[in-house]
Amino acid sequence: GKNVVLGEGNEIGPHVIIEDGVRMGSGNRIWPGAYLCSGTEIGNDNEIHMNTVIGHAPQDLAYQGAKTGTKIGNGNIIRELVTIHRGTKEGTATVIGDHNFLMAYVHLAHNCRLENRIIMVNGASLAGYCTVDDQAFLSGMTVFHQFTAIGRLAFISAFSAVNMDVPPFMMCGGRGVEVHGPNMVGLRRAGMLPEVRDEIKRAYKLLYRSELSIPNALAQIEKESRSSEVTYLLEFIRSSKRGISL
């Protein structure tokens, strides 16, 4: 396309299509047959595998051709046949951070926002305006209602249907999902200190296993906890617009 900007050391395979105005940093590897649409910005050191489509028009009947975008950071692995659609409203974008791993057939709808080091397994699909925080793990064939928020280090099991926000550090599954407990394996692997893991475990028990209402449980958690991780958990729940998974 016209006015394409490419950095240094990119490896672009055969049959790749790069539309007008795409901007790409350095050290990226674009495998054969990938399609990069107008309005796409890509950082450095990403792998974009065969027949992936990035930045195509959103599957939204409200979309009327507005100038929107897709922004991808650095060090992401985007496997075969992933589809990532650009924003719907004028000037908006679908945004992906750094070092994420999107496996084959993953779908990100318009205006989604992914932070960093997230894993989405084959066939996981986000509807429009979903947000996913750092290090979340979305298992295979999971589906997410539009505007759903997924907290940091949350774990969603395979074949789950998510229509409420998933609090950080929790492990859940089902149709619709139920929270089963803290993601203790994920917390240990992330290097979280034992005393912080204990605070998260106590917070879970107050929130899900006590007879307290959610507001009263949050107040009690706030009294008992000192870590920034539990502060983030409290802020996530209090700011939830859809309500949290139970």
Side-chain angles (χ1 to χ4, degrees):
K2 299 177 182 178
N3 303 315
V4 170
V5 177
L6 301 177
E8 298 179 352
N10 292 301
E11 181 180 339
I12 299 175
H15 308 294
V16 171
I17 296 176
I18 303 177
E19 290 188 340
D20 295 349
V22 170
R23 303 177 65 88
M24 186 187 304
S26 300
N28 297 286
R29 187 177 185 187
I30 315 299
W31 292 61
Y35 199 120
L36 312 182
C37 301
S38 294
T40 297
E41 299 178 16
I42 298 172
N44 304 315
D45 302 315
N46 297 284
E47 292 182 18
I48 299 173
H49 286 245
M50 290 81 79
N51 299 310
T52 289
V53 178
I54 296 178
H56 194 31
Q59 297 176 135
D60 184 350
L61 294 175
Y63 181 69
Q64 299 296 323
K67 188 175 181 180
T68 61
T70 307
K71 299 181 180 180
I72 296 175
N74 306 310
N76 297 287
I77 300 173
I78 302 174
R79 293 300 302 257
E80 306 90 293
L81 295 155
V82 169
T83 52
I84 302 170
H85 290 166
R86 62 180 180 261
T88 290
K89 296 180 181 179
E90 183 79 30
T92 66
T94 300
V95 180
I96 299 174
D98 301 331
H99 304 293
N100 298 293
F101 187 9
L102 310 183
M103 299 186 192
Y105 293 97
V106 160
H107 174 67
L108 303 185
H110 59 88
N111 299 99
C112 286
R113 191 205 75 224
L114 270 63
E115 295 294 345
N116 309 304
R117 300 189 184 280
I118 294 157
I119 295 175
M120 294 182 65
V121 182
N122 302 56
S125 296
L126 299 178
Y129 296 97
C130 289
T131 61
V132 186
D133 288 349
D134 291 350
Q135 297 173 283
F137 191 104
L138 282 53
S139 298
M141 307 302 292
T142 48
V143 292
F144 297 81
H145 194 281
Q146 61 184 350
F147 295 100
T148 300
I150 310 300
R152 179 185 166 206
L153 279 164
F155 181 99
I156 295 92
S157 62
F159 300 102
S160 295
V162 181
N163 59 6
M164 306 288 279
D165 294 344
V166 178
F169 316 124
M170 299 300 160
M171 183 168 56
C172 68
R175 302 176 62 86
V177 296
E178 296 180 356
V179 173
H180 301 305
N183 179 18
M184 300 307 294
V185 173
L187 301 184
R188 286 195 297 272
R189 289 177 176 173
M192 199 168 287
L193 295 173
E195 55 267 31
V196 177
R197 299 200 302 266
D198 288 342
E199 280 196 5
I200 292 170
K201 189 183 296 184
R202 288 197 300 271
Y204 162 77
K205 290 179 179 178
L206 285 168
L207 190 60
Y208 287 100
R209 292 292 178 262
S210 73
E211 295 183 355
L212 295 172
S213 66
I214 289 178
N216 288 335
L218 296 179
Q220 188 64 33
I221 293 167
E222 193 166 33
K223 287 180 182 178
E224 295 184 5
S225 303
R226 298 291 181 268
S227 67
S228 60
E229 288 82 359
V230 174
T231 299
Y232 158 64
L233 171 66
L234 294 171
E235 290 173 349
F236 181 97
I237 295 171
R238 285 170 173 159
S239 64
S240 172
K241 295 179 180 178
R242 294 191 58 79
I244 61 169
S245 301
L246 298 175

